[in-house]
Amino acid sequence: MDSVTVLRLAHDQAVQYPSVVIEHPFGPEYAVFKVRGRMFMMQYELRGVPSMNLKIDPFDGEVLRDAYAEITPGYHMNKRHWITVCGADGIDGADGIDSDGGDRGVGTGDGADGGVGTDPGTTSARAALDEDLLHDLVLESYCLVVAKMPRRDRPVDPASFGGREA
């Protein structure tokens, strides 16, 4: 999926959630998606590549960053609690540098360096971001933020919203 499609799908999904408002506090090029005043997603362009930040459980974020080249630590965010997601066109897999300028931990693909391969021909190739995963990431980000709100302020039950199980 290309980056424009990733952002469009995430936008279309997020605006359907209860109490979601889109603001532009950092300028028109940054769309900040909030639920009851708390950010759960931000869309922007980073070095010419449409990208977005999403809140994530720290353990899940670590696993996702290792498994998907399109997912990197959150740009200008707490790297443990946020991820940056772009489409396949935003990956600079040849040099292993992520969109934040940091080392993504990507190996050469031959297994000799213990890194994760990026060559689709190797058995250790990284997975590709798909619509189902993107849907889950946006839903999870929204629900993580809602779960931190006082119960009386929650627009939904984060444990069951969107078909999630408790």
Side-chain angles (χ1 to χ4, degrees):
M1 237 183 329
D2 67 285
S3 296
V4 172
T5 301
V6 168
L7 266 60
R8 182 182 48 80
L9 291 172
H11 172 276
D12 292 349
Q13 177 183 346
V15 297
Q16 294 179 30
Y17 292 160
S19 300
V20 170
V21 175
I22 302 172
E23 298 178 355
H24 300 277
F26 310 116
E29 63 275 10
Y30 294 92
V32 177
F33 293 71
K34 294 182 175 183
V35 54
R36 302 266 166 101
R38 298 182 186 194
M39 183 172 78
F40 70 93
M41 181 169 73
M42 180 170 65
Q43 295 184 341
Y44 52 92
E45 193 168 296
L46 178 64
R47 295 182 190 98
V49 178
S51 304
M52 70 178 163
N53 288 346
L54 294 167
K55 191 156 182 70
I56 194 79
D57 173 80
F59 176 75
D60 292 343
E62 188 176 323
V63 171
L64 289 165
R65 286 188 297 268
D66 288 343
Y68 296 90
E70 298 95 337
I71 300 175
T72 58
Y75 178 72
H76 275 298
M77 303 296 277
N78 180 315
K79 308 289 187 235
R80 188 163 177 225
H81 295 278
W82 291 85
I83 55 174
T84 293
V85 180
C86 66
D89 58 329
I91 300 171
D92 190 6
D95 61 9
I97 303 299
D98 66 23
S99 61
D100 204 10
D103 182 1
R104 212 188 265 149
V106 177
T108 61
D110 61 8
D113 60 0
V116 179
T118 57
D119 178 7
T122 67
T123 56
S124 62
R126 296 170 107 185
L129 182 70
D130 62 19
E131 284 187 43
D132 290 336
L133 176 60
L134 180 61
H135 177 274
D136 291 346
L137 292 173
V138 174
L139 176 62
E140 180 70 14
S141 182
Y142 177 85
C143 289
L144 281 170
V145 171
V146 169
K148 294 290 185 180
M149 295 177 179
R151 289 190 194 275
R152 68 181 180 279
D153 294 339
R154 295 177 183 173
V156 298
D157 176 10
S160 62
F161 180 71
R164 299 173 80 222
E165 297 178 16

